[in-house]
Amino acid sequence: MDNQEFLEKRRFIIKLGKALHKFGTPAYRLETHLQTVAKTLGLDGYFLISPTSMTFVLQHDTDQEYNHVARVKPGELDLGALARTDALVEELRSGQRSLTEALQRLDQIAEMPNPYGPLLTLAAYGCAAAAFAMLMATSWNDVFWSGVVGMVVYGLVFAAEHSKRMAELLEPLAATVAGIVSCGLAQLDPSINIPVVILSGIIVFIPGLALTLGLAELSARDLMSGTMRIMDAVMVLFKLYFGAVLGVAIGNALFGQDLFIEPTSLPRWASWLAVPLLSSALVFIFKARLKDAPWGILAGILAFVAAMLGGIYLGDSIGIFFGALAVGIYANLFSRWTKAPASIALLQGIVILVPGSKTYLGLNAFVSGDTLLAQPHLGAQLFLIFMSLVAGLIFSNVVVTPRSTL
């Protein structure tokens, strides 16, 4: 291998690693995937990935060795870009693209704008907030106003995409604005549950998925990355909680406190409507490709049904294990059938199961001693649910071996 070929190959691997990290690939999956790609290209690769740094060691022989260290920002889920990048690697392996063409295609994928535009994403944020309120079994009033608050929150997300300063304080600012708006809406409709509307409005930011991925990394013995991801998720949770408390305090000072009027509760069938609505909204929020959308929506429904059936016989917390097991097997089969990354279906299904809202409620109970909803033994539930999720994912990879590392 001459020096020019070695240079091109290492440039591709480094650019591929940074792109997949940007698109939200967990560290343990990314390291394994890069090792596979390096081996395919005839190189020995050693990688150390964390949410904020990347180290590459690439060599062909004693005369051709290269080390690269990069400081990066934590990635955000972009399932469409992840799928396109995986397809690009397959094209390179099969000889359909040269290294030069693959490098150009990587740049194109990284620079692609949001495929759905601001209006569809706005509707998705509102739909996700409303669907989550339905899962909380509150009232139609809460569902409607949660959707409104969710769309207000997306306005801040849209502004943060164009302002670095806004992006740095997005989470606490979103929670603060949600708190103020919810208190204002309570003047129009005294029957809304303000804490539930706030939680539903900011549910996209609740780091339940990040906590689950961090625990999955720890279970894979990726101790540094797992610890860093968990601590980052905890800090996001703290910022959201403080923002919500601040927003409610400002809202009460501006609008005062009205007497809460108990509304009519949602019918039981509402939760069955909420799951496909939430899964559909996640297609747009996670920027998944439209051709993958039905698979992602089905993953969410499967996870919910499996967890509910398991919960009937073994308890809600253990039921989550069966939900994670079912969606993990389904995602691996999906990857085999479609030749796409299993993460596309897996993440959209796992989001339905992650106890992000219970983490927030547990923090509230710990700080204030108050319980927003009837959730006895919340701390023990949280621990057991997270462990059930991780165990379900591990068992699913034993039952059906993944096609690829992504």
Side-chain angles (χ1 to χ4, degrees):
M1 183 184 300
D2 60 35
N3 287 332
Q4 183 60 33
E5 185 180 359
F6 178 68
L7 174 64
E8 272 201 325
K9 288 181 177 180
R10 81 189 193 201
R11 281 181 59 206
F12 175 76
I13 291 172
I14 291 170
K15 186 170 286 191
L16 174 67
K18 290 181 178 179
L20 289 173
H21 184 279
K22 177 183 176 183
F23 304 148
T25 308
Y28 68 101
R29 287 180 179 268
L30 180 52
E31 289 175 0
T32 306
H33 186 68
L34 290 177
Q35 286 175 346
T36 302
V37 173
K39 187 176 181 181
T40 301
L41 295 177
L43 301 179
D44 293 322
Y46 307 93
F47 308 94
L48 181 62
I49 310 296
S50 78
T52 57
S53 64
M54 306 182 75
T55 302
F56 301 79
V57 179
L58 298 166
Q59 64 182 37
H60 178 248
D61 53 37
T62 55
D63 296 326
Q64 292 178 318
E65 183 173 331
Y66 183 74
N67 298 342
H68 181 86
V69 180
R71 175 77 173 178
V72 292
K73 293 183 178 180
E76 296 183 1
L77 276 179
D78 187 336
L79 297 182
L82 180 66
R84 295 182 189 97
T85 305
D86 183 66
L88 170 63
V89 172
E90 290 299 323
E91 291 171 0
L92 180 64
R93 284 175 179 167
S94 62
Q96 298 177 46
R97 286 184 187 268
S98 66
L99 268 175
T100 303
E101 292 172 339
L103 284 166
Q104 293 173 350
R105 176 60 178 161
L106 265 181
D107 289 332
Q108 292 173 0
I109 294 172
E111 293 169 3
M112 281 183 177
N114 187 334
Y116 299 115
L119 291 180
L120 276 176
T121 309
L122 171 69
Y125 268 72
C127 183
F132 181 77
M134 293 168 72
L135 284 175
M136 299 282 279
T138 54
S139 68
W140 289 117
N141 307 62
D142 291 343
V143 170
F144 176 76
W145 293 118
S146 295
V148 172
V149 174
M151 289 190 285
V152 171
V153 166
Y154 174 69
L156 299 175
V157 174
F158 183 76
E161 292 174 354
H162 302 85
S163 170
K164 184 177 180 181
R165 183 177 298 179
M166 177 75 79
E168 291 175 351
L169 51 84
L170 177 60
E171 292 92 350
L173 180 61
T176 302
V177 171
I180 295 172
V181 171
S182 298
C183 290
L185 292 173
Q187 301 299 307
L188 300 175
D189 183 358
S191 63
I192 70 172
N193 186 326
I194 292 176
V196 170
V197 170
I198 295 172
L199 176 58
S200 300
I202 61 173
I203 192 61
V204 172
F205 297 109
I206 299 293
L209 181 60
L211 287 168
T212 303
L213 291 177
L215 289 170
E217 288 175 335
L218 288 177
S219 70
R221 303 292 177 88
D222 200 328
L223 304 182
M224 183 178 71
S225 180
T227 303
M228 291 174 68
R229 193 180 295 276
I230 289 173
M231 291 309 301
D232 180 56
V234 170
M235 289 310 302
V236 169
L237 194 64
F238 285 164
K239 289 188 285 186
L240 289 170
Y241 183 74
F242 172 76
V245 171
L246 178 62
V248 170
I250 294 174
N252 288 337
L254 291 174
F255 306 111
Q257 290 181 302
D258 280 350
L259 185 65
F260 175 67
I261 300 174
E262 187 73 29
T264 304
S265 299
L266 288 173
R268 288 190 175 183
W269 56 261
S271 60
W272 292 98
L273 176 61
V275 173
L277 281 177
L278 181 56
S279 297
S280 300
L282 292 176
V283 169
F284 300 98
I285 294 172
F286 290 165
K287 305 173 188 175
R289 298 179 301 181
L290 281 179
K291 71 176 185 178
D292 296 326
W295 299 100
I297 295 170
L298 184 57
I301 296 171
L302 176 64
F304 182 77
V305 172
M308 180 171 285
L309 291 176
I312 291 173
Y313 297 102
L314 298 173
D316 292 339
S317 300
I318 299 298
I320 297 294
F321 167 80
F322 290 97
L325 177 66
V327 79
I329 293 173
Y330 168 80
N332 289 338
L333 291 175
F334 158 80
S335 179
R336 289 176 175 273
W337 292 332
T338 64
K339 309 301 181 185
S343 300
I344 292 174
L346 179 67
L347 294 178
Q348 288 181 257
I350 288 298
V351 165
I352 303 296
L353 302 175
V354 293
S357 60
K358 291 192 175 184
T359 309
Y360 180 94
L361 296 173
L363 178 61
N364 177 79
F366 176 76
V367 173
S368 66
D370 297 330
T371 303
L372 299 181
L373 296 171
Q375 298 283 345
H377 310 296
L378 194 57
Q381 280 188 24
L382 273 175
F383 179 78
L384 193 54
I385 288 172
F386 276 123
M387 292 302 100
S388 296
L389 272 171
V390 174
L393 296 178
I394 293 173
F395 275 67
S396 68
N397 288 334
V398 174
V399 176
V400 178
T401 307
R403 179 191 68 91
S404 68
T405 50
L406 288 182

